[in-house]
Amino acid sequence: MTDLIKGQCLCGGVAFEVARDGAMSACHCRMCQRWTGSVFIDMDVEDDDMTLVSHDTLAWYDSSDWAKRGFCSRCGSSLFYRMKTDGAKWAVLAGTLDLPAGHTLSMEIFVDEKPDYFDLAGERPRLTAEETLARFGGTDT
């Protein structure tokens, strides 16, 4: 088992721990761009592997029929989104985590919505919006 990976918002009002490494991915959808100001790079975390240590300033935005987005109501940091289904998965923003070296992206999604002004290096699956929705069964992020 991996050591706990700690994470937090900018002010420390929301702190959490992840019990084991998950896959890293990048989402380029317009909703994630507006939420983060850029690409959403995250670690996928199983519900049982996520522990909220402090969450007095945690607020949620109900962004779609199948996911909600967590952020700090004090400092405004975007933190994660969580699926609404039982056994929910979390997509935790990589920048909020104290990650050890060696993590790489496993996939990019919504690449047809990616702005022209940057490209992420490396070889990995890159799915369009249509391919992403077909694979994961959603209608929006």
Side-chain angles (χ1 to χ4, degrees):
M1 180 166 219
T2 304
D3 291 335
L4 289 176
I5 299 170
K6 295 182 184 294
Q8 70 175 51
C9 65
L10 186 61
C11 72
V14 180
F16 45 92
E17 296 174 340
V18 175
R20 71 184 98 218
D21 284 351
M24 303 284 290
S25 60
C27 181
H28 300 285
C29 79
R30 288 298 295 148
M31 191 179 300
C32 283
Q33 289 178 46
R34 291 192 188 283
W35 188 46
T36 66
S38 187
V39 59
F40 180 94
I41 298 177
D42 73 279
M43 176 182 283
D44 295 332
V45 177
E46 298 292 329
D47 201 40
D48 292 341
D49 294 329
M50 178 71 154
T51 302
L52 293 173
V53 176
S54 62
H55 51 89
D56 291 343
T57 60
L58 176 59
W60 292 98
Y61 176 67
D62 196 13
S63 61
S64 70
D65 290 340
W66 54 282
K68 59 185 181 176
R69 295 170 187 262
F71 63 97
C72 177
S73 63
R74 183 181 319 149
C75 68
S77 293
S78 298
L79 301 169
F80 32 70
Y81 79 78
R82 184 170 190 260
M83 307 304 283
K84 294 179 182 179
T85 58
D86 291 337
K89 292 189 179 196
W90 300 66
V92 181
L93 274 157
T96 66
L97 297 166
D98 298 329
L99 291 172
H103 286 84
T104 59
L105 288 177
S106 62
M107 173 185 306
E108 291 180 57
I109 59 175
F110 289 89
V111 294
D112 49 337
E113 297 181 23
K114 181 186 75 58
D116 293 335
Y117 51 80
F118 75 88
D119 285 308
L120 299 176
E123 294 299 318
R124 70 190 63 83
R126 289 178 167 88
L127 306 178
T128 64
E130 183 178 346
E131 293 166 332
T132 301
L133 296 174
R135 182 170 183 174
F136 300 110
T139 57
D140 61 3
T141 53

